[in-house]
Amino acid sequence: MSARDAILTRLKGAQPNRIEADALLIAPERPMVDENALEAEFLARLALPSVNASHDMIDCIADLPQAIARYLDGEGAPRSLCLPPDPRLDACDWQGFALHETAAPDESAALAIARRGIAETGSLIFDTAATAPMLPNFLALHHIVLLAVDDIAPYLESAPLTGVQPRAHYWVTGVSGTTDIEGTYVRGAHGPRFLHVILLRHT
């Protein structure tokens, strides 16, 4: 019998894994989320190994540069930052940073402002716009995201965006990774290696 025939014979004789099927049938379609504690639920998802994101908290947007400096210094990264041309960031004091709007292929860090966060999965939703370029978020080693606590939704189906719709929007759940290389998990294979979410308590 050839190797091909042997494989096909095993496949034809394979039986469904009843234990796994039963587990799927009794499992809830979506995890329970405490809608009275969305911030805590969201942070719990960020801490999961499948998302692998760090986080920080700030009270107002004026505290953002200090929070980013704290993160970059802790990672031993330079204070070089690709900053989107968003007018909400104009009031921040960026003294001590090397800022630029165009991302290089080896960009160290980029900031983005998320439109929504999803407590169920720890996902982040971003718009594309003239004030929110998409490319820096996929080139930088450190993806730093600002998210208002008020913009955290409980479930995936709670995510529809109101108002004027962007040309496109995209979802990010954790850092980029792959197991294609000898079955070993490699972080940052197709995008940022680190995801750092800064929650803004007061907008």
Side-chain angles (χ1 to χ4, degrees):
M1 179 184 295
S2 68
R4 177 179 179 275
D5 291 337
I7 292 171
L8 291 175
T9 299
R10 287 199 300 271
L11 290 175
K12 289 176 181 177
Q15 297 296 320
N17 190 322
R18 175 55 57 188
I19 295 175
E20 290 184 6
D22 288 344
L24 289 172
L25 290 173
I26 64 174
E29 290 189 13
R30 65 181 187 179
M32 293 300 297
V33 170
D34 183 353
E35 298 191 33
N36 296 314
L38 290 181
E39 181 181 319
E41 293 276 10
F42 181 74
L43 292 178
R45 300 312 190 281
L46 289 186
L48 293 174
S50 57
V51 179
N52 203 12
S54 57
H55 76 276
D56 199 352
M57 307 273 191
I58 57 175
D59 288 324
C60 62
I61 200 166
D63 297 331
L64 180 59
Q66 183 179 2
I68 294 176
R70 183 164 57 241
Y71 169 73
L72 293 177
D73 292 349
E75 293 293 323
R79 292 190 183 182
S80 175
L81 185 66
C82 185
L83 197 70
D86 192 306
R88 290 173 289 183
L89 302 174
D90 292 344
C92 296
D93 181 3
W94 296 104
Q95 185 175 357
F97 285 87
L99 302 178
H100 44 285
E101 291 184 4
T102 304
D106 59 347
E107 192 66 43
S108 175
L111 173 68
I113 300 177
R115 179 85 174 263
R116 298 294 289 272
I118 307 298
E120 176 185 355
T121 59
S123 301
L124 298 158
I125 307 176
F126 300 90
D127 285 351
T128 56
T131 58
M134 179 173 61
L135 187 59
N137 302 314
F138 294 96
L139 289 179
L141 179 67
H142 299 272
H143 189 198
I144 303 172
V145 177
L146 178 66
L147 172 67
V149 170
D150 290 343
D151 290 332
I152 300 175
Y155 295 106
L156 295 169
E157 61 268 32
S158 311
L161 305 177
T162 59
V164 178
Q165 294 302 300
R167 179 177 177 86
H169 62 259
Y170 55 99
W171 298 52
V172 170
T173 306
V175 296
S176 164
T178 183
T179 55
D180 291 343
I181 305 171
E182 297 184 352
T184 301
Y185 176 68
V186 177
R187 189 167 64 174
H190 308 295
R193 187 176 299 170
F194 304 98
L195 175 61
H196 183 65
V197 180
I198 299 175
L199 288 183
L200 174 62
R201 294 193 184 277
H202 305 291
T203 55

